[in-house]
Amino acid sequence: MRRPGGWWRRKDTPEKVETYTRWSFHFFALSEIAGIGLSTYGQVGPRLATVLSLMVVTHAVVCMVTASRALDWVRGRRAQPVRELWTLVTVTAVLGVPAVAVAEHGPGGADVDAAALGVFVGIHGFGLGVMTLCVPHRRRRVTGLVCGFAAGAGIVSYLVGMEWLAALIVACVLLAAGGFLSFTAVLSVWLLNVVYTLDEAKETRARLAVAEERLRFGRDLHDVMGRNLAVIALKSELAVQLSRRGRPEAVEQMIEVQRIAQESQREVRDVVRGYREAALEVELAGARGVLSAAGIAAEVRDETAGLPAEVQSALGWVVREATTNVLRHGDAKRVAVQVLMAEGHVVLTVENDGVTEAAGPPAGAQAPAPATGGSGLAGLRERLSAVGGTLEAGAAGKGLFRLRAEVPLPSPARDGLEVAS
């Protein structure tokens, strides 16, 4: 059974911001109903209040639908909601004119005038804020829409019998209210787009880092193999020519080719070994920098002095894998990395928050490991087992996940650490 609020915890940060923005506009519509429609019951009789409230409710529903379609358009999920925009404009005009007509020609009384004018200004103000979502957010277009709509409302008010000064005041009030709501709508959409852009930039940065590492490895491999392969090709061609002439030097050339080929194999193994090895201190510093750049508070405590190279390499891979999965999964706000010596063992702990039950542990590389053992818990256990280490991963409390790697220290290294301490 899913716990309440699980649907919210399963969302990533951009999706949460989009949900918050979408429901903010729905809340505007509910505010229109509660603040304008229902308030008329305390100003006028129940029959007229019901009519005015139904007008406001109808307009609020249209605003909700239009705002939802407009946000989908802003995120590129559908075409521009032109039909919904004109529907909202029509509904706003059709409901606004009767409201101002009631204020001028309806039952007498200051309360009736105030209630009807409140409905008129509220419908046009909230409608104008939602209309802004449906047009490209350029300063001139938004300003023209707000000013034009306010001027049109003032003209309509004057034509239905309102005095010119009162119509001017209504236009100014609508200009201020509509301008504020339009500015709020534009700012909300801008913030939503910024969040999505930052999230895409985060993914792009990770892909660029992978591409840069591949280029570096390609350059190293080219430097090693390019010259040796050229020499092998030349000496092989020379051996062929000497062999055709029956010269005994052909054997010496082929022995030289064999020697260069073996040397090339050794150099390639050195390159690959250097590529696969991960220095613990370097990985800890890199994890701190990458997590801080991603807005995640990183706390790193390490005791790496004197650790054997093979132990540092194995633990460095744990740090690298855990950091990568914190960035790719979950919604962590804090990560704590700790390296401690304890009774002839070195213990590495990586703990992060932002874990949901449905989403799974972000730091633990829970994805199935490939056959090569290059990623995931299986890959890390394989690397640790080569140095006699173990790996534990699991929940460490509500919303917390802990990855713990323990590696025994060889006797000479242990004695050296004890002397150094």
Side-chain angles (χ1 to χ4, degrees), residues 91-252:
V91 171
T92 302
V94 169
L95 296 179
V97 172
V100 73
V102 168
E104 292 299 317
H105 307 290
D111 291 340
V112 174
D113 295 344
L117 285 178
V119 170
F120 175 77
V121 173
I123 285 177
H124 282 75
F126 281 101
L128 186 55
V130 176
M131 291 175 200
T132 306
L133 296 174
C134 302
V135 299
H137 294 163
R138 295 173 184 155
R139 184 182 304 174
R140 292 183 179 179
R141 294 195 179 188
V142 174
T143 303
L145 177 64
V146 173
C147 295
F149 215 86
I155 294 173
V156 170
S157 301
Y158 178 74
L159 292 177
V160 297
M162 187 177 291
E163 295 182 358
W164 70 270
L165 182 58
L168 180 61
I169 294 175
V170 169
C172 292
V173 171
L174 183 57
L175 179 64
F180 173 75
L181 292 173
S182 298
F183 172 78
T184 303
V186 172
L187 182 61
S188 299
V189 171
W190 177 77
L191 289 174
L192 176 62
N193 289 331
V194 166
V195 171
Y196 270 103
T197 301
L198 290 176
D199 186 69
E200 293 172 0
K202 179 180 176 181
E203 296 180 0
T204 301
R205 181 178 58 188
R207 289 194 297 267
L208 289 176
V210 173
E212 183 179 356
E213 185 65 15
R214 288 175 178 173
L215 288 175
R216 185 192 68 81
F217 179 73
R219 289 193 301 268
D220 293 345
L221 194 61
H222 177 270
D223 293 340
V224 170
M225 295 300 296
R227 177 182 58 84
N228 291 350
L229 289 177
V231 175
I232 289 174
L234 289 174
K235 287 188 172 294
S236 298
E237 183 179 356
L238 178 58
V240 170
Q241 297 296 331
L242 293 174
S243 178
R244 287 176 178 175
R245 297 175 186 176
R247 302 284 296 274
E249 292 86 350
V251 177
E252 297 178 0

Side-chain angles (χ1 to χ4, degrees), residues 287-288 291-300 326 332-337 351-353:
R288 183 189 291 109
L291 292 172
S292 299
I296 302 174
E299 178 184 352
V300 179
V326 167
K333 299 294 186 297
R334 184 189 65 85
V335 176
V337 183
E351 183 176 294
N352 63 274
D353 59 2

